[in-house]
Amino acid sequence: MTIAPGRPVALAILLLVLLTLGAYAVGRLPDARGTVIAAVRAVLQLSLAALIITSVISSLPLSLLVLGVMFVVAVVTTVRRVGAGPAWPWASVAMLAGLLPVAAIILLTRTIPPTGIALIPVFGILTGNTMNGHTLTCRRAFAALREERDGYDAWLALGFERSVAIGRIVHRHLPEALIPGLDQVRTAGVVTLPGAFIGVLLGGGSPAQAAAAQVLVLMGIMAAQTVTAVVAERLIRTTKLLPVDLAESLHP
């Protein structure tokens, strides 16, 4: 089974966008235009991605270059989302800390072949989910540091070092950032059939092959997000990974 570009797909996309806009109107939600912009961007970006992947997928070096570009975009996206643009090198460190061990395990166990057609989809999914985990970790940590400034000052007043005071505030919020990823793993095959599973089925693979591919991806996502969140917390504690306002205000 395949879903080919054409009039039926275009009609379905249009109707789905209209349904979204209708829900925005009924719910009186702000920024309905943003959904249209997001939809247009998704169509254009995925169309461009399809053209690029088609042209590079037979070349391993070019495929790795595409993955590198995807990683850069992921880093830029997450630091903008959390307002920590100047800290992008440390965001890169946190995400690489999660991605590289997962990549090593997958490749060294020969789970997938080192070819563009295998690497791009698998590591593209892993990169996107690692970005999401990093974003959630930082958003919760930064919000806690802003909202609980009195608690931070109290820990300092008790004689604790800055890194310990920050850790006391942010550490209990760390598990919250991992909940979406864990729920995705827990409900796979029961509530949802995730993307890798559907992709293998649509590509002609058996349900068993689809399940194996999806389990591999889910375990990789869980590992990458967890490691990234732990490393990001350590970097936040040492004030390396912070927005400018917090980096300035948290100095004792």
Side-chain angles (χ1 to χ4, degrees), residues 19-169:
L19 176 60
T20 303
L21 290 174
Y24 262 74
V26 171
R28 297 181 181 179
L29 301 176
D31 195 26
R33 188 180 68 170
T35 63
V36 177
I37 295 174
V40 172
R41 285 189 58 175
V43 171
L44 294 177
Q45 289 169 183
L46 287 172
S47 298
L48 179 60
L51 292 174
I52 293 174
I53 292 172
T54 300
S55 63
V56 307
I57 208 165
S58 60
S59 169
L60 181 58
L62 290 178
S63 297
L64 294 175
L65 178 62
V66 168
L67 287 173
V69 172
M70 293 168 70
F71 178 79
V72 170
V73 173
V75 171
V76 171
T77 300
T78 187
V79 296
R80 284 182 176 176
R81 178 64 67 183
V82 301
W88 67 264
W90 299 111
S92 302
V93 169
M95 290 178 60
L96 285 173
L99 284 171
L100 291 181
V102 172
I105 290 171
I106 290 175
L107 293 175
L108 290 175
T109 57
R110 300 182 180 179
T111 308
I112 63 173
T115 59
I117 197 164
L119 295 176
I120 290 178
V122 171
F123 288 109
I125 293 172
L126 290 172
T127 299
N129 281 274
T130 302
M131 174 191 71
N132 291 338
H134 180 271
T135 297
L136 289 174
T137 299
C138 291
R139 282 176 65 89
R140 282 163 172 73
F142 299 162
L145 287 170
R146 292 186 177 103
E147 295 168 2
E148 302 176 34
R149 179 56 191 265
D150 290 343
Y152 168 77
D153 291 335
W155 286 111
L156 290 180
L158 291 173
F160 287 92
E161 295 182 355
R162 180 176 56 183
S163 61
V164 176
I166 293 175
R168 295 284 185 173
I169 301 297

